[in-house]
Amino acid sequence: MRLILQNIKELVQVDPKSRLWVAGKSMSEVQTVKNAFLIVQDELIKDFGPMHKLFESEFEADDQVMEIDCSGKMVFPSYCDSHTHLVFAATRENEFVDRIKGRTYEEIAVNGGGILNSAQLLAEMYEDELFDHAMVRIEEIGLTGTGAVEIKSGYGLTTQSEMKMLRVIHRMKQHSPLMIKSTFLAHAFPLEYRKKRKDYMNLLINEMLPMIAAEDLADYVDVFCDRGFFTMEEAEQILMAGIKNGMQGKVHANELANSGGVQVAVKFNALSADHLEYLDDKDISDLLGSETMPTVLPGAAFFLNLKLAPVRKMIDAGLPVALASDYNPGSSPSGNMNFIQSLACLKYGMTPEETIHATTINSAYAMGISENYGSIAKGKVANLFITKEISSYAVIPYSFGSNLIETVILNGEIQ
Ligand code: NIG
Ligand code: FE
């Protein structure tokens, strides 16, 4: 089956060079083709260019062809959301209300709420039910333009529950048209291990990680390296054990304090260091020249009223920045990447162009898929969205809370 998108008002984020990420000043330039065509074949982007070149592109005559007129509409590569926790048992609006009344996120967490609350609810839920709920969420983010998503475990905490979460993610990979990467997350110390940290570390390293690897249930390993959670030394041990088991690292770093999470990430060539609210000049210079993608999660900072990551300083220093939703029940109960773009512009001073790179190619890098996703290039997977009729691409972050997406195409198929 071949799809031909014609009369596209503007085809956005084309990258004939297929860069794996975009950094610093280059983030402010987005390449587009006005009045464009794009051909999809066998799940892939076969060709694209200005309309007057359409008839020069190769046609295979016996192909079934479907034409879509995109007059007045723009076409983008789907968002890649490189950081979510969208497998969970229940929402936590009671904590949201408690915070409105003055309690803090950290105080709720140390008193058995937060992650521990989610873990208890998850332990009580059957795998099938978890799967059904998570499928509803992934379908919803698909409709708001996300075509690839990383999903973490971390609400299990016990071997049994962590494996249950990862099996759910594994099933989702088989049932959802979105591209999914799975990550094992060492998220928190269960209450009964608070005074036996070494025992829990032993369980993580010598039981959970090898069992997960034996069933090939996780692509990556992640650790919450922050005040009140895992120390730098513990985080290093977890990343090292992950690497031994074939999983590249990612790190929840510097959200609640200057935790040293960035240095752990850089030292172990982690794919990404995420959150970064407490980032100093040394952290920025350590990230420069590293292979680790700095990833900012505006939804969590917005929802928890956190200090904001110094995004302008990071980009001006020459760093790439990725944006992700952090979709989870405690700190960011939304996976809408259009809204993440709005927050990034309004709160962090990013330009619309910078947010396009940050939500597509850079976030694709942060989940290890930027060779095949995250921009419009020949041979990349045809994960795209067609907007409604819009005046310019800046109207997407401008129209916060609206969904301007009309048609979603994943793996070359209209959804
Ligand atoms: O990325 N920061 C750590 N973990 C998650 C949220 C955990 C929760 O509150 O459920 C996050 O924000
Ligand atoms: Fe997270």
Side-chain angles (χ1 to χ4, degrees), residues 12-13 30 76-80 144-145 296-299 323-325 334-361 363 385 387 390 392-402 404-405:
V12 183
Q13 181 63 328
V30 165
F76 288 75
S78 299
Y79 299 124
C80 298
T144 56
V296 173
L297 311 171
L323 292 167
S325 75
S334 164
N336 188 327
M337 292 292 278
N338 302 288
F339 184 57
I340 294 299
Q341 284 197 347
S342 299
L343 285 177
C345 292
L346 291 165
K347 298 287 178 192
Y348 296 77
M350 290 177 81
T351 63
E353 288 80 5
E354 287 170 338
T355 70
I356 290 170
H357 288 300
T359 52
T360 57
I361 193 66
S363 49
F385 62 80
T387 66
I390 57 175
S392 75
Y393 58 68
V395 85
I396 292 182
Y398 160 90
S399 308
F400 72 89
S402 301
L404 300 180
I405 294 169

Side-chain angles (χ1 to χ4, degrees), residues 224-397:
F224 189 8
C225 179
D226 223 318
R227 185 171 68 200
F229 293 86
F230 290 83
T231 64
M232 271 181 90
E233 292 70 30
E234 290 163 346
E236 290 200 358
Q237 288 172 34
I238 288 163
L239 289 201
M240 232 172 337
I243 290 167
K244 235 173 82 188
N245 284 287
M247 302 166 207
Q248 197 176 353
K250 289 168 77 76
V251 181
H252 277 70
N254 304 46
E255 176 187 9
L256 307 171
N258 198 295
S259 63
V262 164
Q263 283 67 31
V264 175
V266 169
K267 181 169 170 187
F268 290 93
N269 286 330
L271 258 183
S272 68
D274 304 41
H275 278 291
L276 311 181
E277 279 76 12
Y278 290 83
L279 202 73
D280 62 24
D281 291 349
K282 163 96 170 60
D283 297 320
I284 290 178
S285 71
D286 286 348
L287 283 164
L288 273 167
S290 80
E291 290 173 20
T292 300
M293 177 60 68
T295 301
V296 173
L297 311 171
F302 171 67
F303 193 70
L304 298 181
N305 255 322
L306 300 174
K307 161 181 151 86
L308 302 181
V311 172
R312 268 286 34 103
K313 212 168 155 185
M314 292 157 72
I315 295 177
D316 294 346
L319 280 175
V321 167
L323 292 167
S325 75
D326 197 14
Y327 191 2
N328 78 75
S331 67
S332 186
S334 164
N336 188 327
M337 292 292 278
N338 302 288
F339 184 57
I340 294 299
Q341 284 197 347
S342 299
L343 285 177
C345 292
L346 291 165
K347 298 287 178 192
Y348 296 77
M350 290 177 81
T351 63
E353 288 80 5
E354 287 170 338
T355 70
I356 290 170
H357 288 300
T359 52
T360 57
I361 193 66
N362 286 355
S363 49
Y365 178 90
M367 53 188 290
I369 59 168
S370 63
E371 276 180 26
N372 296 310
Y373 296 84
S375 60
I376 305 289
K378 286 186 200 175
K380 281 200 168 185
V381 176
N383 276 13
L384 315 160
F385 62 80
I386 306 172
T387 66
K388 298 176 181 165
E389 291 192 19
I390 57 175
S391 45
S392 75
Y393 58 68
V395 85
I396 292 182

